[in-house]
Amino acid sequence: MLCCFLDTYYLWQERKFRILYDEVRKGKNDIVINYLSSSDTALKLKDEIIDKYAVKCLAFKCDVSKVDEVDFMFETVEKEFGDVSVLVNNAAGNS
């Protein structure tokens, strides 16, 4: 499974992430989108990915600067999808 933890502000705007999703389509990998505050964008993107690529997709709200939230997110993802085989991470913590 491809698991993407990406900042939703940049996620669908930048060409490199569109290319990433084209690669996902080829491999039929499932996707997890992590977001903190852009829930509308994340949920819209989740629906677009499901419709366009016919894969499972989960949008998960998590503050990556908080270990307990990250642990919970990974536990949930592993229960839903199994082991994570690829992690694409561009999330930035602001503290």
Side-chain angles (χ1 to χ4, degrees):
M1 177 193 56
L2 176 62
C3 183
C4 299
F5 295 87
L6 300 168
D7 181 339
T8 54
Y9 177 78
Y10 296 105
L11 186 62
W12 211 235
Q13 304 296 323
E14 294 189 24
R15 185 174 182 272
K16 63 183 173 181
F17 295 119
R18 291 184 186 267
I19 293 168
L20 172 68
Y21 289 115
D22 287 339
E23 291 302 311
V24 168
R25 175 185 53 78
K26 292 176 191 173
K28 290 295 183 189
N29 294 288
D30 299 324
I31 298 176
V32 176
I33 300 166
N34 169 242
Y35 67 95
L36 182 57
S37 60
S38 305
S39 63
D40 290 343
T41 302
L43 296 174
K44 179 181 176 194
L45 179 58
K46 178 190 79 137
D47 291 341
E48 287 179 27
I49 290 169
I50 291 169
D51 291 343
K52 184 172 182 178
Y53 300 111
V55 296
K56 292 182 188 175
C57 184
L58 174 66
F60 203 100
K61 182 175 181 177
C62 173
D63 182 342
V64 297
S65 70
K66 297 183 179 174
V67 174
D68 58 327
E69 289 189 26
V70 172
D71 287 343
F72 179 73
M73 178 175 55
F74 267 92
E75 289 171 11
T76 303
V77 167
E78 287 178 338
K79 285 179 188 173
E80 184 73 25
F81 297 114
D83 291 336
V84 175
S85 57
V86 177
L87 173 66
V88 178
N89 186 351
N90 79 328
N94 296 324
S95 50

